[in-house]
Each structure stands twice: as structure tokens, then as C-alpha cells.
Amino acid sequence: MRAISRWSFSVLRRHWKITIPTGIVVVAGIALAIVMWVLPDSPPQAVVYTNVSANFKACLLSTTRDADDSEHVWPAIQAAGTRAAINAQHITAPAGTSDQLVPYLNSLISLHCGLIITAGTDLTQPALDVAKTHPQQRFLIQPPHDPLANVDSIPSQPDALTALVAAAAPTTPAR
């Protein structure tokens, strides 16, 4: 018996590069098994998700020429999402003529944007043209502009813009 134990220890000493890592893994596995056995089982947590597809959409449209204006407006629109169920989208159109920019505004209507905000002066006239043909659509555009029932001016203060965008969203999301 003594010869067998001497032989096994000499084999373990000669192959220490294998036996030490194996021993560590075995000890760690035993420790983990004991911890798992001692700790009480907890039921799995339910997966929580939010369906944002029914949220109100607030869409910001700017042009490449009006990037500075959109940098001031966009954070205020995003902040409205903390006050109401709002999906905020920012689309940048290439700078162009009024006729070239109207399709971008019409695409936002087809995307069911509840509120269309335009940043910069390039989009003021195209937004007014589209607002006249779509009286049910709400717009926020740069002042000054023609008075229309569905068009309001973008407030100069970011907090006022955030409040205006949040107020545009219905209190209960549409399903």
C-alpha cells in the first residue's frame, strides 16, 4: 500500500503542469457545487419589455445646411421622451430647393409622425406648403411664418420646446 502511494505521488510530482491546474479546477467545481446547493433557488425573473410601436412620433427634419439649428432643437425633443411616451426621430435631408424638400415632409406624414418639427429656415416654406394641404398634421417651424391653425413656432427656450413636444403626445398611447 505504501509503495502505491509513493508511486502515485512521484507520478503527480513529475506531471505537476497537468495535476496542479486539474486540482484547481476540481476544487473550484466542488466549491461551486456546495455554494449552489446551499443557496436557495430563486425563480427566474420575467422578461420585461416595452412595446414602443404605439408611442407618439415626434419627427425632426433638418437639412445639411441647417445642422447648427438642429443641434439646438434635437436634445429638447429627445428630453420630451422622458415626460411622455414619445418616439423621437431625426431625419437630415440634403440642402435643396423648396420643391426638392417637400417629399421629405410628405414622407414624415406617411410615417405617421404626430408632430413634425423643422429646424432651420430652408424648411420653413416647404413646411408651410405641406401644412396647407394637410390641415390635420401638426407642425413646429422656425418663426416668423404665416399663421396657420396646424403650425406653431419653435420656442426659443429648450425647456419650452420640450414641454410643447410632450404636450403634443396623447396621454394614453394609441393601440
Side-chain angles (χ1 to χ4, degrees):
M1 180 74 160
R2 202 169 184 166
I4 292 175
S5 63
R6 256 191 203 158
W7 173 80
S8 59
F9 283 119
S10 68
V11 168
L12 291 175
R13 255 186 270 135
R14 271 185 274 154
H15 301 290
W16 66 270
K17 290 181 181 179
I18 296 171
T19 56
I20 290 178
T22 303
I24 291 172
V25 169
V26 169
V27 170
I30 292 170
L32 181 63
I34 290 171
V35 168
M36 296 300 290
W37 181 61
V38 171
L39 291 178
D41 291 337
S42 61
Q45 298 294 323
V47 175
V48 179
Y49 66 94
T50 302
N51 183 358
V52 296
S53 64
N55 287 358
F56 180 80
K57 286 185 187 177
C59 301
L60 172 64
L61 179 63
S62 62
T63 64
T64 52
R65 191 176 8 235
D66 295 324
D68 290 340
D69 292 325
S70 66
E71 287 178 8
H72 299 298
V73 174
W74 180 236
I77 295 168
Q78 288 178 304
T82 62
R83 297 184 185 181
I86 295 174
N87 291 342
Q89 296 179 343
H90 182 191
I91 294 95
T92 303
T97 66
S98 181
D99 290 339
Q100 293 170 330
L101 294 172
V102 166
Y104 288 95
L105 289 157
N106 286 331
S107 69
L108 295 180
I109 293 171
S110 69
L111 289 173
H112 304 289
C113 293
L115 179 63
I116 296 174
I117 304 119
T118 61
T121 56
D122 281 357
L123 289 161
T124 300
Q125 191 56 49
L128 288 171
D129 294 342
V130 172
K132 289 174 187 172
T133 59
H134 295 87
Q136 78 288 353
Q137 180 65 52
R138 296 217 29 224
F139 289 87
L140 287 177
I141 65 174
Q142 297 288 333
H145 56 78
D146 298 336
L148 293 173
N150 59 336
V151 178
D152 292 314
S153 294
I154 295 175
S156 59
Q157 296 298 319
D159 290 339
L161 176 58
T162 299
L164 192 58
V165 172
T171 54
T172 57
R175 298 274 177 214

